[in-house]
Amino acid sequence: MDLRTAQPQIPEWRSVIDRAETGEIDEPIYNVDRGDTRPFDAIFVGGGAGGRFGSAYLRARGGRQLTVDRWPFLGGSCPHQACVPHHLFSEAARELDLARWLSGTLWYPDFDDKRASILEIVELFRSGRNAAHAFMNWQSKEQLGMEYILNASATVIDEHTVEVAGERFHAENLVLGTGARTLVPDIAGIGLRGVFDFASLVEELDYEPNRCVIIGGSKVAIEYGSFFQAAGCPTTIVTRSPLMSTASLHHVDDDLRRYVVDGMRTRGMTILEGANPVEVVGNGSVTAVDVRLADGTVERLPTDFVFVGTGERACSEPFVESLGVTTDERGSIVVDARMRTSVPGVYAIGDLIGPPMEMFKARKCGMAAARNIMGEPYEFDFSEYPDFLHSTYEVTWVGLTEAEARERHDHVVVIQMPPPGVQPGDIPLPCAEGSMLYAFTRPELTGFQKCVIDAESRRIVGLHHVGFGAKDAFQYLDHLLRRPGGLPIDEMAEMNELFLNPEHFIQLSRLRAGNLVLSDL
Amino acid sequence: MDLRTAQPQIPEWRSVIDRAETGEIDEPIYNVDRGDTRPFDAIFVGGGAGGRFGSAYLRARGGRQLTVDRWPFLGGSCPHQACVPHHLFSEAARELDLARWLSGTLWYPDFDDKRASILEIVELFRSGRNAAHAFMNWQSKEQLGMEYILNASATVIDEHTVEVAGERFHAENLVLGTGARTLVPDIAGIGLRGVFDFASLVEELDYEPNRCVIIGGSKVAIEYGSFFQAAGCPTTIVTRSPLMSTASLHHVDDDLRRYVVDGMRTRGMTILEGANPVEVVGNGSVTAVDVRLADGTVERLPTDFVFVGTGERACSEPFVESLGVTTDERGSIVVDARMRTSVPGVYAIGDLIGPPMEMFKARKCGMAAARNIMGEPYEFDFSEYPDFLHSTYEVTWVGLTEAEARERHDHVVVIQMPPPGVQPGDIPLPCAEGSMLYAFTRPELTGFQKCVIDAESRRIVGLHHVGFGAKDAFQYLDHLLRRPGGLPIDEMAEMNELFLNPEHFIQLSRLRAGNLVLSDL
């Protein structure tokens, strides 16, 4: 179908996407300006986060792009299977956590373990996700002026040619952005019914899980596991490395890690560290997982639901085959700081070039490719960035851990809440939006925060937060820490806090900034 | 009692405060270093937000201070009667709002209008507030090295002398910080039982309100009214000026105001604008409020609960009497940018010098006074600041409204969600922590946001947000907007967003930053 001259509004887009998903529309959806005779500056293979933002940027710079996606919508896996359901499930986990701790008090009824249905919440997501897709199709066409073909696979013929539904399109450059998928571990029985990853969970779950075993200790394992447990489904995480270890995440402060992981255990989760799955057991459907524990013994964990959270691997195979692009040992396409692959004129972006598989990186990769294609030399360094995950908390961090700071600086000062030696139950802080009810009922659950300072330069070098409401701020804190000159505690102390604020960094900095020689707080 | 040489831990402090409140301890609580023969650089009269932060700063600068408060704790009205209960009640309102809209779906039981007890939530606050007080007494003594006398009124004798429990203390300077109290309107019957303000509500409420009439349209009126309504108590706001009008708040964007006020009405609140209370009716206890409506007619509103939200007035009278400090027409003490009053050596800070009666201002006033007393000329300009309030939403804003920007700049561009012309129900954004459940059930409730840009300089000049999770970020956005050079959209587009982020400012900026000539989004 050709929608170029139509101006479908959001509800019409939603209907198109709905029908494409049921197969009622099985042809490509074209939004290509056939009257425009200019060549394409770039074809974006994959219209996910990176492809869409890169396309918008290239178009804004005056270039012409074509974006192709196999799904009937732009935006990729984030709103379809990844970030958006993760956030819905994490919000559900947070609300269920509150309902459980406050069970039978205030207006909260007695908490019924059986009440929260994972299936129902998954179905809620599934039934609503096309709203975001419809918006992005509309925005990309009507507001951003992009050209695209959806609901059609792109086959790369050579570095200037892409075939879509039998038609060949040519461009000066290609931008590859087809993402990653779960790296499924090679374990007997992993293909049984009842084994899911984040993608198949939202696509295929059709029963209510009674118990869960998670294989792997990635962010996804922590996030989805916390949701399953909060919903009343007893969950066991089987992980080789300790959760949130430096093997999988950078700059995780020990105290932050401890607060988060202890909090998961407090909520009933079983975490088996140093453990390896041996076999997924079942006959058609999963019935158990055999696990070799840290002490070498093998234990059988009965379960009707296995979730794979071992991390992801780039979908690079087709491009290795068609273009011969260089990949690294993990299969990620190798690019330079301008997103250029080993093949001239071919760029790669997003999850396809490896970790961190985060939204900011995908989008900025797209932007970086677009700028370079349009003749502006532009480098993107994503070696440092703010990070987050959810347990039943929002957990955010940026910059150095206390231990890292002590390795690099002679005089490190820490401002933290609760202060060392103070019992968490004695001090209901940090708190604000999201932890006030805990503050007055279970102060030990309100969270933890730490600000790490190089006392000599007076610069803040790391910020760490477990609680609620601070995630948005870390975007700007990252920026402030990175600026030339960084963020001195004295500048922090001059800011205008909105009180109560979820993180107390400004006011706590002010309480110390008067000191010529800084000390802990 | 003298605690100077004791090192009471937080639980012991809590016990001391508890006993002081019941009257079991009716003597002053001394933490004064009698062995230190240095004179005091300043006596802080009032140990609230400004007094405590000023004292800490002065002490950190090497000075010696004495802080006196009539309450048995430092920290003032914020944790005792103001910001902290406000945030607890606003969080309750948010959770109740969710419980109501999701009633009977997912794990939410049918919502019972009678279930949420205002009295119970007030009692929850009352029973727990001393935890924060105890922490601040501990922190101020053990970590910040302050000297103070609590549970004792200070009488100012002259500009160098304060009398406490019959003993006179002398200092080079005085810093006055005794705050403000509700400006009770002069209406017949306002003294009846059942009429409360934010302070007496938490001190005295001893029954469950069935209906509420709020007199006044201040922030407090919106915040507490939204809580009462969410708890199932039908609430009417009687206000002369429109809610959130520029008469009471600065920089409120029209679209933001509309979303918030419409949202309050959607939730069942009655808002009578252009209305004036004539009389509070009752016999001992309130039974109704007579109100002159905008059309001139008088209507009787039956109620058993009246809440006064008409704003506050500085508690300046004792200092006018003892020192002759100059006040303005509203009774606020007049100070210069260094917090100096008309009397040499006497400083005034916080709510005592008038609006904005916000925490950042109180604390930074204290810091400003301390710096000047310690010989550092330091000016504090609080004419511009980020602001917020709660309805059932978090509402935050900084910088110019769209209308203000259009008055000042020729080419103003707006990025907003939902975009103009798009129905809120069609696009479940902005969303992240706090609005995901709405996004998938009632997308029109997820919020509203707007970024206002001067297209010529490409600088962002205003940011406005209704939703959840963005308040903390506005502290840093305020700082970024204020820096020399401000915050260009191009710099915003380079930041690293943590996706999903509650406000979409970074990514939406990026979608436009590629344009040489900026346009709306």
Side-chain angles (χ1 to χ4, degrees), chain A residues 91 95 363-364 378 390 394 433-434 436 471-472 475-476 479 491 494 496-497 500-501 503, chain B residues 91 95 363-364 378 390 394 433-434 436 471-472 475-476 479 491 494 496-497 500-501 503:
Chain A
E91 184 167 308
E95 293 298 329
R363 289 167 164 171
K364 287 177 71 176
Y378 178 91
H390 291 89
E394 295 160 27
E433 289 77 12
M436 294 305 298
K471 187 175 134 202
D472 221 34
Q475 306 175 127
Y476 305 106
H479 178 74
E491 186 173 333
E494 294 284 343
N496 297 323
E497 67 270 36
L500 302 185
N501 40 346
E503 41 81 350
Chain B
E91 184 167 309
E95 293 298 330
R363 289 166 165 172
K364 287 177 71 176
Y378 179 90
H390 291 87
E394 295 160 26
E433 288 77 12
M436 295 305 299
K471 188 174 133 204
D472 221 34
Q475 305 175 127
Y476 305 107
H479 177 75
E491 187 174 332
E494 293 285 342
N496 298 323
E497 67 271 35
L500 302 185
N501 41 344
E503 40 82 352

Side-chain angles (χ1 to χ4, degrees), chain A residues 408-483:
Chain A
R408 296 194 201 180
H409 303 287
D410 288 339
H411 184 189
V412 169
V413 158
V414 167
I415 290 177
Q416 71 173 53
M417 281 286 211
V422 171
Q423 294 305 310
D426 285 346
I427 164 66
L429 288 170
C431 66
E433 289 77 12
S435 49
M436 294 305 298
L437 285 163
Y438 288 136
F440 282 86
T441 54
R442 297 182 175 271
E444 72 281 9
L445 301 181
T446 44
F448 172 80
Q449 63 186 211
K450 182 188 278 192
C451 171
V452 183
I453 301 156
D454 167 28
E456 264 164 50
S457 67
R458 301 179 72 88
R459 286 171 61 162
I460 293 168
V461 295
L463 294 159
H464 310 269
H465 189 273
V466 188
F468 305 97
K471 187 175 134 202
D472 221 34
F474 273 72
Q475 306 175 127
Y476 305 106
L477 286 166
D478 169 63
H479 178 74
L480 290 164
L481 291 191
R482 259 166 210 282
R483 286 178 315 171

Side-chain angles (χ1 to χ4, degrees), chain B residues 85-163:
Chain B
H86 150 203
H87 278 75
L88 175 64
F89 301 156
S90 293
E91 184 167 309
R94 177 264 186 286
E95 293 298 330
L96 286 163
D97 192 59
L98 199 55
R100 188 182 303 267
W101 290 111
L102 299 189
S103 170
T105 67
L106 300 171
W107 64 88
Y108 288 88
D110 289 336
F111 189 80
D112 178 350
D113 267 345
K114 298 274 168 254
R115 181 150 201 146
S117 159
I118 293 169
L119 178 60
E120 197 179 5
I121 300 166
V122 167
E123 283 172 343
L124 178 69
F125 169 71
R126 208 184 279 153
S127 70
R129 64 182 168 180
N130 286 353
H133 301 335
F135 176 75
M136 282 190 267
N137 285 3
W138 174 82
Q139 183 192 57
S140 302
K141 180 174 184 297
E142 307 302 335
Q143 293 193 295
L144 303 174
M146 286 168 50
E147 292 178 70
Y148 50 76
I149 306 173
L150 303 176
N151 212 31
S153 288
T155 305
V156 171
I157 306 299
D158 62 37
E159 63 268 40
H160 296 297
T161 315
V162 172
E163 187 172 295

Side-chain angles (χ1 to χ4, degrees), chain A residues 139-203:
Chain A
Q139 183 192 56
S140 302
K141 180 174 184 297
E142 307 302 336
Q143 294 192 295
L144 303 174
M146 285 168 51
E147 293 179 68
Y148 50 76
I149 306 172
L150 304 176
N151 213 29
S153 288
T155 306
V156 172
I157 305 299
D158 63 36
E159 62 268 42
H160 296 297
T161 315
V162 171
E163 186 172 296
V164 185
E167 185 178 2
R168 292 197 172 190
F169 294 87
H170 304 280
E172 200 63 33
N173 302 277
L174 296 187
V175 184
L176 311 177
T178 50
R181 61 173 164 273
T182 298
L183 174 63
V184 180
D186 184 21
I187 303 168
I190 198 77
L192 286 170
R193 197 141 40 84
V195 180
F196 297 86
D197 70 354
F198 70 95
S200 61
L201 179 80
V202 299
E203 299 300 340

Side-chain angles (χ1 to χ4, degrees), chain B residues 215-421:
Chain B
I215 294 176
S218 66
K219 270 190 188 184
V220 166
I222 294 171
E223 291 165 339
Y224 283 66
S226 295
F227 164 54
F228 301 146
Q229 180 73 37
C233 175
T235 296
T236 300
I237 293 184
V238 178
T239 175
R240 201 167 303 161
S241 310
L243 291 185
M244 299 183 73
S245 72
T246 47
S248 57
L249 294 171
H250 77 341
H251 301 318
V252 174
D253 187 84
D254 289 339
D255 290 327
L256 177 124
R257 174 186 188 278
R258 195 173 305 120
Y259 193 92
V260 174
V261 177
D262 286 356
M264 292 165 69
R265 289 203 167 99
T266 301
R267 286 157 175 87
M269 205 181 294
T270 304
I271 301 167
L272 304 177
E273 294 178 334
N276 286 285
V278 178
E279 184 181 350
V280 180
V281 182
N283 184 0
S285 294
V286 61
T287 56
V289 178
D290 285 347
V291 175
R292 178 165 292 113
L293 301 177
D295 66 5
T297 61
V298 173
E299 187 174 329
R300 175 156 294 191
L301 307 175
T303 191
D304 61 344
F305 179 57
V306 173
F307 185 81
V308 178
T310 41
E312 292 174 68
R313 186 189 157 94
C315 302
S316 57
E317 303 86 348
F319 310 118
V320 173
E321 210 168 296
S322 59
L323 297 167
V325 290
T326 303
T327 57
D328 67 15
E329 70 290 352
R330 290 195 289 191
S332 307
I333 294 181
V334 176
V335 295
D336 64 10
R338 296 189 186 182
M339 307 302 129
R340 295 180 296 198
T341 68
S342 60
V343 178
V346 177
Y347 295 74
I349 61 176
D351 294 353
L352 195 54
I353 65 169
M357 297 193 182
E358 299 289 352
M359 186 56 90
F360 83 91
K361 194 206 73 179
R363 289 166 165 172
K364 287 177 71 176
C365 282
M367 180 179 83
R371 292 175 99 133
N372 282 290
I373 288 169
M374 294 305 291
E376 178 191 356
Y378 179 90
E379 301 196 342
F380 174 34
D381 171 12
F382 49 82
S383 53
E384 294 295 333
Y385 52 92
D387 210 349
F388 78 99
L389 58 75
H390 291 87
S391 58
T392 46
Y393 294 98
E394 295 160 26
V395 185
T396 35
W397 64 97
V398 66
L400 304 180
T401 67
E402 184 179 343
E404 288 168 343
R406 290 194 190 285
E407 274 173 28
R408 296 195 201 178
H409 303 288
D410 288 338
H411 185 190
V412 169
V413 158
V414 168
I415 290 177
Q416 72 174 54
M417 281 286 208

Side-chain angles (χ1 to χ4, degrees), chain A residues 264-280:
Chain A
M264 292 165 69
R265 289 202 167 100
T266 300
R267 286 157 175 89
M269 205 181 294
T270 304
I271 301 168
L272 304 176
E273 295 178 335
N276 286 285
V278 178
E279 184 181 350
V280 180

